Amino acid sequence: MATDASRSEPKYQRIANALKAEIRSGAWGAGSRLPGENDLMAQYGVARMTVRQALGVLQSEGLTEARKGVGVFVRAFQPLRRRGIQRLASEQWGSGRSVWEADLEGRNLVVDQVEVREGAASENAVRVLGLKAGEGVWIRSRRFVLDAKPVLLSTSYLPASLVAGSAITRPDSGPGGVYARLAELGHKPVHFREEIRSRMPLPEEASKLSLPAGTPVMLVCRTAFTEEGRRPVEVNEMVLDAAAYVLEYDFDA
């Protein structure tokens, strides 16, 4: 029996909720094709636009993907659980492991489109790092591809005065990554801050992440600080496929 709350919902939302329930029950497994628009119109007695709005809800939530000329399918990719605290522990990168190893659980990760160069920082990085006019940075840009699905774009900015001539200026920064190299240079990160917000992707971001239309992105800006006066030594600006992630923060009271 419909509740007052459900009756007040738009028709497309009620249809979307019903379809989501079918997916979660396992009636349509990963990779399954959903009923076509004509079938859904007949089943729910609604117009085509209403059905398309309902399917758009599923797609925007990352549950389905549309394949042009074929139909709408239950998304097979399983979201990555990003453990925001464990992944940045010094025991992780300090022992030569990638921060990603805290998240992967045996899944296949490829880092591509790597670009390392000296240049000018973003406006945000200039502000956070406290750079002086004309002060350069080393920029590390890369894309992370999980199980053949692009999930994240990352651009790090590090003051040139701290890292010039080090392995940080090379595409492969070595075991433990940038944070291990900063520690070797006497600038060990001891504190991190992450700021998170969301928006719709820019065209270039949507292309690089192979995002279906209507999929938002999460923006994570991480700053790494040293012990000495909590000096910022790196700003990492990340763009995440919002449908590909669960952000997990686990800590004691």
Side-chain angles (χ1 to χ4, degrees):
M1 182 175 178
T3 65
D4 290 341
S6 66
R7 281 194 293 266
S8 67
E9 287 180 330
K11 287 183 180 179
Y12 77 86
Q13 188 64 60
R14 294 203 298 271
I15 296 170
N17 290 342
L19 295 175
K20 285 191 282 187
E22 292 284 344
I23 292 172
R24 288 167 180 156
S25 73
W28 296 313
S32 298
R33 184 181 182 275
L34 268 59
E37 290 182 0
N38 291 338
D39 293 331
L40 292 173
M41 288 165 60
Q43 180 179 348
Y44 291 101
V46 296
R48 187 176 303 277
M49 181 57 68
T50 302
V51 166
R52 288 182 176 177
Q53 286 178 299
L55 293 174
V57 170
L58 302 187
Q59 190 170 328
S60 68
E61 294 183 9
L63 294 173
T64 63
E65 57 185 0
R67 301 176 190 171
K68 191 171 182 179
V70 181
V72 177
F73 293 78
V74 178
R75 198 174 189 186
F77 181 86
Q78 295 301 307
L80 177 67
R81 189 167 294 274
R82 183 181 186 272
R83 296 175 170 85
I85 294 177
Q86 294 93 324
R87 70 198 316 270
L88 293 174
S90 60
E91 291 84 357
Q92 185 76 16
W93 47 265
S95 61
R97 291 175 290 174
S98 163
V99 296
W100 277 79
E101 290 184 37
D103 305 330
L104 291 179
E105 297 180 342
R107 300 174 70 175
N108 182 49
L109 176 71
V110 174
V111 183
D112 67 6
Q113 300 185 9
V114 178
E115 181 183 0
V116 182
R117 60 185 174 85
E118 190 171 9
S122 68
E123 183 177 337
N124 175 64
V126 168
R127 177 182 58 81
V128 175
L129 292 172
L131 299 175
K132 299 176 183 177
E135 187 174 354
V137 293
W138 276 91
I139 305 168
R140 298 181 56 87
S141 300
R142 56 271 193 213
R143 183 179 73 163
F144 293 83
V145 181
L146 182 68
D147 296 340
K149 167 72 177 73
V151 294
L152 179 146
L153 307 175
S154 175
T155 304
S156 293
Y157 301 94
L158 302 104
S161 59
L162 296 184
V163 304
S166 72
I168 291 172
T169 65
R170 300 194 290 267
D172 183 357
S173 59
V178 165
Y179 298 143
R181 302 293 80 74
L182 283 170
E184 293 168 356
L185 292 170
H187 307 296
K188 178 182 178 180
V190 299
H191 181 77
F192 297 93
R193 180 181 67 217
E194 288 194 342
E195 301 172 343
I196 303 171
R197 60 189 180 93
S198 63
R199 60 165 168 75
M200 296 308 294
L202 303 176
E204 182 181 11
E205 295 166 347
S207 176
K208 287 186 175 182
L209 290 173
S210 301
L211 296 178
T215 303
V217 292
M218 291 185 289
L219 308 181
V220 179
C221 179
R222 181 171 68 233
T223 306
F225 298 86
T226 64
E227 188 169 15
E228 182 183 350
R230 288 279 171 91
R231 178 185 183 185
V233 290
E234 183 223 28
V235 170
N236 188 346
E237 297 176 346
M238 293 166 271
V239 181
L240 290 67
D241 173 358
Y245 276 92
V246 174
L247 304 186
E248 177 182 300
Y249 294 90
D250 183 10
F251 47 87
D252 295 329

